[in-house]
Amino acid sequence: MAESTHFYQTFQPAHYDLFLDIDRGNKLITGQTTITGHATTATIALHQKYLKVTAVTAGDDPVPFTLDDAAEAVRLTLPQAGDVTVTLTYTAPLTDTMMGIYPSYYKLNGERKQIIGTQFETTAARQAFPGVDEPEAKATFSLALKFDEQPGETVLANMPELRVEDGVHYFDTTVKMSTYLVAFAFGDLQSKLTTTASGVQVGVFATKAHQAKELDFALDIAKRSIEFYEDFYQTPYPLPHSWQLALPDFSAGAMENWGLVTYREVYLTLDPDNTALELKQRVATVIAHELAHQWFGDLVTMKWWDDLWLNESFANMMEYVAIDAIEPDWHIWESFQTGDVPAALQRDATDGVQSVHVQVEDPAEIDALFDGAIVYAKGARMLVMVRALLGDDALRKGLKAYFEAHQYGNATGADLWAALGAASGLDVGAIMTSWLEQPGYPVVTAQVQAGHLVLTQAQFFIGAGVNADRVWQIPLNANFAAPTLMTAATLDLGDYTALRQAAGKPLRLNVGNNSHFIVAYDETLSQDLLAQVATLDAIDQLQLLQDARLLAEGGKQSYAAVVPLLKQFADTRANVVYAALYQAAVNLKKFAQPKTPAEAQLKQLFDQLSAAQVARLGWQSQAGESNDDLLIRPYALAAAVYAENPAEQAAAHAITAAVADYAELPADTRAYLLINEVKHYGSVALFDQLLAAYEATSDPSYKEDLAAALTNTPDPALIARIVTAFEDATIIKPQDLRSWFRGVLANPQGQQAAWDWLRTEWGWLEQTVGGDMEFPTYITVVARIFETPERLAEFKAFFEPKLKDQAVTREIIMDTKVIEGRVALIAADQAAVTAAVANAL
Ligand code: BES
Ligand code: ZN
């Protein structure tokens, strides 16, 4: 690990005066930054990246300076240590990198327009202005902004605008905050505004390419989320306004800039009259996530980037806590169970995975180590585990104390554990250490041995793994008499017959699925459990399917044992159960190569798993349907499309053919209707029509569905056209490229073309998304799909020479294991699975 000192140690800024002049036409930023602060030595360093610093003064005197681009620094020699005011004059390029200050492009009435916005987390504030770009270096900021302004343009920043003078917009001074949360934006925007009960102004802003009603849903959720947090945290929202802004080009999903939260359009604007429930829920949780950060992250900030996980895990948990409170009928925790939980359990089972808490120094390391399934999903699971142990009263009491103690300052994980510990009397830190500092998670084996019920924990791997004898402190949540925590490798619970009798039901561990482990029951226990499957609640059933799938992925049992389970749950009315069933079924596809009898049989099984649901629910939602039905339908239709049931194909075609404009199709089934159309009723004309709709629409969820349909084309000439568009940002925005790439790669007819493209255009990709955490995830996409020894060999041949590149080293090592594991699993299990599928029909 690179040794690096924090610039904050030698210079502590107190206030920044930022002046920025942005010339969109010439793609040039001219800036002047004045920083008042305290220097502990005469030689100090400030961060800068791609800045051309032309002059530095202290008071009226010029200050000698040198640029150190390798350290992303400008080094100054001040007259002496002590309190000082320095002014730096500079220019910087305005580039299309979705980092720093950057343009976002969109079309309005056929004209290409742009909005300027910012994205500074983690270390891109230094591309906009020089300063100490570290989370601990909190200061106040006064922003003055000038640009080649057109009449009617809107200008937004963290704080309200004070005045405009000579074309310069002056904003009110911020509270003490970190550099990575500074933000501003301007362009031709529309907005909707409201006020919270406590008087905070809430606004939603988007380009005028959207219909005005597309802002309503977000406004309502944002307002109610802020009201919820003010109550839950017992701490007022500290700024006068909370703006939510949708940017047409956005690298991440959303960003919690204090007072000016930015979003991808798909996560903010939606047509209230035609959007799938699942996406509405997603938008709501994204907004609640960013607003949770306004306190946890913005008001109190991690001291250093090694605690970025804490920021993100906490917001990831709170997005569910908040939405569950404001939309209780959604049962939003169910989507935690069908989304985050399996993502964490899958990724965390790969040998070489990072622990949640990792030491980092260098910004490049921060990017390379940022693993969403771990930092967000596993981390949130850890906090959910803590919440379950503490209860909400102690959690809220602890949080209130934490905010009071650290507001406008910084804190570490240990500070949070201390506050929660004081509020609950539990040694939270001790329990968490085993989960946060160690990678992976345990499978707990429950066995009846010589009449005793014995539990054993061991690390669970999918693919090859090296046993490191890790032991976790496991909240067992057993329905039998058992200790709260399992702290050793084995635990003898005593006489099984007596325990079983006292409990009056089959043994269940991890009831509620809130602890991060899976369970392997022995033959006796699983027979007992399976006999009473119908009495289990939906989460228990999901867990049974999820654990069975994972145990099969890890080679602890054959997938052949999972197959008969599926049909048992096919008629469920619970979306969580059907989601888990679908996920297990999809995982069988790897055992059935395209165009083989095994595949034909698997399609038949998919038909049997979906036919009754499709018959019951139909292709179109009805008014007044339950949320469960609304959420089951997409899975059932996806299964039916794969199954190629001729009657359903024709039914979908009839609906699709009946509309004059595909935009009229109902959003909750649109993707499946269009995929069916492209796959089975496709033509060049249809392709052209869908692509034109893709380019024209400003409804981001319609765009996603169109992309999903287009990438499913079986026509090689059309696939070639898509691949050509990969590098044409006027058709496929860089922010959307990964999902297009994934779509083509997952299409058996497209895989070769997508894979060839990735290998020839790797350099281009690195340049386009290179400075971004998204870059390594292209490798993850490949690893999720490849399943043959030939592809494995090609993967290794291409990526092994790139192992030296720090940004992708870990990903390559892990993903090689992922594909190797899958190839081995197919070889070992294919015959048994094929037989089990045939048997189940
Ligand atoms: N702060 C993050 C975004 C971020 C993280 C930017 C790390 C740069 C480095 C933001 O709060 C976030 O978590 N965004 C999510 C969206 C979602 C989970 C609500 C994202 O971008 O995926
Ligand atoms: Zn976040």
Side-chain angles (χ1 to χ4, degrees):
M1 195 172 299
E3 222 242 298
S4 102
T5 47
H6 300 180
F7 292 3
Y8 182 64
Q9 288 163 359
T10 46
F11 182 58
Q12 300 92 43
H15 179 74
Y16 289 74
D17 278 304
L18 303 177
F19 169 78
L20 288 161
D21 183 350
I22 296 163
D23 182 345
R24 286 172 286 192
N26 292 309
K27 292 196 167 284
L28 183 70
I29 302 164
T30 310
Q32 192 167 68
T33 299
T34 300
I35 314 172
T36 308
H38 182 83
T40 51
T41 60
T43 48
I44 64 164
L46 299 175
H47 288 106
Q48 67 78 23
K49 192 173 179 187
Y50 309 135
L51 302 188
K52 210 168 128 194
V53 178
T54 49
V56 183
T57 56
D60 288 333
D61 305 322
V63 167
F65 65 93
T66 51
L67 292 179
D68 179 352
D69 287 335
E72 300 186 355
V74 50
R75 300 188 187 280
L76 316 184
T77 311
L78 301 170
Q80 72 271 318
D83 290 344
V84 64
T85 298
V86 288
T87 297
L88 298 95
T89 308
Y90 61 95
T91 59
L94 183 65
T95 52
D96 297 341
T97 54
M98 298 188 276
M99 312 269 266
I101 303 170
Y102 72 92
S104 271
Y105 301 99
Y106 67 104
K107 272 191 208 136
L108 184 66
N109 307 323
E111 188 196 341
R112 195 162 196 245
K113 299 184 58 141
Q114 53 172 291
I115 301 178
I116 300 293
T118 56
Q119 171 59 41
F120 291 169
E121 191 178 19
T122 41
T123 55
R126 65 192 63 172
Q127 297 182 33
F129 58 87
V132 180
D133 191 16
E134 294 167 358
E136 199 180 355
K138 286 198 175 187
T140 55
F141 296 83
S142 299
L143 172 67
L145 201 58
K146 188 168 181 280
F147 56 101
D148 42 359
E149 193 165 351
Q150 304 287 316
E153 288 191 296
T154 302
V155 196
L156 304 171
N158 303 89
M159 294 294 283
E161 185 179 280
L162 290 177
R163 62 179 193 283
V164 190
E165 232 173 74
D166 298 331
V168 181
H169 296 258
Y170 292 89
F171 295 88
D172 208 350
T173 305
T174 67
V175 293
K176 256 183 96 174
M177 61 186 282
S178 302
T179 45
Y180 79 91
L181 295 168
V182 172
F184 60 84
F186 53 86
D188 185 18
L189 301 172
Q190 62 173 321
S191 64
K192 290 248 174 117
L193 305 176
T194 186
T195 309
T196 65
S198 61
V200 178
Q201 278 233 59
V202 180
V204 174
F205 297 77
T207 72
K208 290 178 181 164
H210 297 276
Q211 306 173 69
K213 67 175 179 181
E214 290 178 41
L215 282 59
D216 294 341
F217 180 82
L219 187 66
D220 173 58
I221 296 289
K223 170 179 181 277
R224 291 192 292 135
S225 295
I226 292 172
E227 288 169 351
F228 168 79
Y229 289 126
E230 289 198 313
D231 175 56
F232 190 88
Y233 293 147
Q234 289 293 296
T235 306
Y237 178 82
L239 307 183
H241 70 221
S242 172
W243 299 155
Q244 330 299 317
L245 166 64
L247 288 172
D249 288 285
F250 202 81
S251 162
M255 177 64 212
E256 71 269 25
N257 314 303
W258 213 357
L260 176 53
V261 183
T262 46
Y263 299 82
R264 262 184 192 234
E265 293 188 319
V266 71
Y267 291 144
L268 193 71
T269 54
L270 63 82
D271 181 349
D273 302 321
N274 195 21
T275 296
L277 175 62
E278 200 196 357
L279 183 63
K280 284 189 178 171
Q281 294 182 336
R282 181 80 188 118
V283 169
T285 52
V286 172
I287 294 169
H289 174 110
E290 302 312 332
L291 294 176
H293 277 313
Q294 304 299 296
W295 288 260
F296 202 101
D298 296 2
L299 179 62
V300 178
T301 309
M302 68 236 139
K303 208 175 159 90
W304 184 247
W305 294 113
D306 66 327
D307 271 332
L308 180 57
W309 77 270
L310 182 61
N311 230 12
E312 295 308 339
S313 308
F314 189 86
N316 198 9
M317 170 177 74
M318 286 311 295
E319 70 192 52
Y320 293 97
V321 174
I323 297 302
D324 194 37
I326 68 176
E327 291 290 349
D329 293 346
W330 281 355
H331 303 290
I332 197 71
W333 280 105
E334 294 183 351
S335 62
F336 187 72
Q337 291 290 348
T338 57
D340 297 60
V341 170
L345 290 169
Q346 184 80 30
R347 179 81 173 171
D348 204 23
T350 310
D351 200 15
V353 71
Q354 68 179 74
S355 54
V356 175
H357 181 233
V358 193
Q359 290 299 337
V360 288
E361 274 307 324
D362 192 342
E365 280 179 326
I366 302 165
D367 285 3
L369 290 180
F370 197 87
D371 182 335
I374 300 304
V375 170
Y376 287 81
K378 181 182 180 182
R381 206 152 157 67
M382 300 303 104
L383 295 175
V384 166
M385 217 155 73
V386 168
R387 179 178 181 231
L389 286 168
L390 258 66
D392 264 358
D393 287 344
L395 176 67
R396 293 173 64 165
K397 194 168 143 211
L399 283 174
K400 182 173 194 290
Y402 175 80
F403 290 133
E404 246 162 38
H406 304 289
Q407 58 185 340
Y408 305 106
N410 300 77
T412 62
D415 294 322
L416 181 66
W417 310 142
L420 297 181
S424 65
L426 283 174
D427 189 350
V428 181
I431 299 166
M432 292 305 279
T433 304
S434 70
W435 294 101
L436 298 175
E437 307 297 336
Q438 304 190 100
Y441 66 91
V443 49
V444 172
T445 305
Q447 282 167 295
V448 182
Q449 277 177 345
H452 277 218
L453 178 56
V454 180
L455 308 184
T456 322
Q457 58 163 303
Q459 186 168 356
F460 177 69
F461 293 109
I462 295 176
V466 181
N467 186 7
D469 290 325
R470 297 193 168 100
V471 174
W472 287 264
Q473 302 216 357
I474 307 175
L476 282 174
N477 298 316
N479 65 349
F480 276 30
T484 311
L485 285 177
M486 174 174 181
T487 53
T490 57
L491 176 62
D492 186 336
L493 291 174
D495 184 63
Y496 170 67
T497 315
L499 285 162
R500 173 68 175 83
Q501 199 148 31
K505 51 189 169 226
L507 173 71
R508 296 265 297 108
L509 298 176
N510 200 7
V511 174
N513 208 23
N514 284 329
S515 294
H516 191 50
F517 71 97
I518 61 172
V519 190
Y521 298 99
D522 75 0
E523 197 52 33
T524 312
L525 298 166
S526 85
Q527 287 308 329
D528 192 18
L529 189 56
L530 287 172
Q532 306 214 12
V533 128
T535 67
L536 297 176
D537 72 16
I539 293 294
D540 292 346
Q541 293 184 353
L542 158 138
Q543 194 174 18
L544 206 70
L545 283 162
Q546 200 165 262
D547 287 12
R549 172 178 62 77
L550 287 161
L551 291 168
E553 284 289 318
K556 300 254 172 221
Q557 68 172 34
S558 169
Y559 252 112
V562 180
V563 175
L565 267 186
L566 303 180
K567 281 183 85 172
Q568 230 175 313
F569 293 102
D571 289 333
T572 182
R573 296 290 189 268
N575 84 79
V576 291
V577 177
Y578 203 74
L581 175 155
Y582 181 75
Q583 199 181 0
V586 162
N587 271 281
L588 298 176
K589 290 186 187 174
K590 58 176 162 284
F591 298 108
Q593 268 60 59
K595 314 250 182 286
T596 60
E599 190 196 41
Q601 289 190 321
L602 184 61
K603 290 192 173 196
Q604 233 179 306
L605 178 64
F606 268 67
D607 195 35
Q608 294 182 2
L609 294 173
S610 59
Q613 299 279 13
V614 175
R616 180 173 77 85
L617 297 168
W619 278 86
Q620 305 203 46
S621 56
Q622 314 296 327
E625 270 185 341
S626 72
N627 288 338
D628 274 304
D629 285 351
L630 283 169
L631 295 171
I632 288 175
R633 182 183 284 106
Y635 290 113
L637 295 183
V641 168
Y642 174 73
E644 300 185 341
N645 174 319
E648 296 306 340
Q649 264 175 35
H653 177 53
I655 295 170
T656 315
V659 295
D661 179 350
Y662 296 134
E664 289 164 23
L665 292 171
D668 20 11
T669 55
R670 190 171 50 201
Y672 308 100
L673 292 168
L674 292 174
I675 291 170
N676 182 66
E677 200 68 7
V678 167
K679 272 187 149 172
H680 305 298
Y681 304 87
S683 65
V684 175
L686 176 69
F687 184 91
D688 287 340
Q689 197 183 349
L690 295 177
L691 189 61
Y694 180 86
E695 289 183 61
T697 184
S698 58
D699 177 344
S701 80
Y702 184 32
K703 258 181 136 70
E704 283 189 350
D705 294 346
L706 287 162
L710 286 161
T711 53
N712 261 291
T713 179
D715 182 338
L718 297 177
I719 286 166
R721 276 178 59 192
I722 298 178
V723 172
T724 310
F726 278 179
E727 291 174 46
D728 182 348
T730 63
I731 303 174
I732 299 176
K733 284 174 170 290
Q735 67 163 14
D736 299 320
L737 178 55
R738 191 182 53 191
S739 77
W740 277 89
F741 169 70
R742 182 199 295 116
V744 180
L745 195 76
N747 175 347
Q749 276 82 35
Q751 185 166 100
Q752 190 65 46
W755 177 224
D756 289 344
W757 173 81
L758 187 78
R759 286 181 291 178
T760 33
E761 296 303 295
W762 187 253
W764 175 86
L765 192 67
E766 188 165 17
Q767 273 205 332
T768 313
V769 293
D772 194 333
M773 313 201 220
E774 205 179 325
F775 182 49
T777 64
Y778 276 82
I779 313 175
T780 325
V781 165
V782 175
R784 289 216 179 109
I785 291 171
F786 279 6
E787 56 191 30
T788 65
E790 295 74 32
R791 288 291 189 224
L792 171 63
E794 291 170 9
F795 181 94
K796 284 189 181 170
F798 183 68
F799 284 115
E800 270 172 6
K802 302 192 165 30
L803 275 167
K804 296 175 294 295
D805 178 355
Q806 249 210 50
V808 289
T809 312
R810 170 185 296 269
E811 202 53 57
I812 294 171
I813 293 172
M814 282 179 69
D815 287 339
T816 304
K817 284 197 185 145
V818 166
I819 306 173
E820 279 170 351
R822 188 175 302 122
V823 168
L825 184 65
I826 293 170
D829 228 4
Q830 186 159 34
V833 173
T834 308
V837 170
N839 213 16
L841 297 174

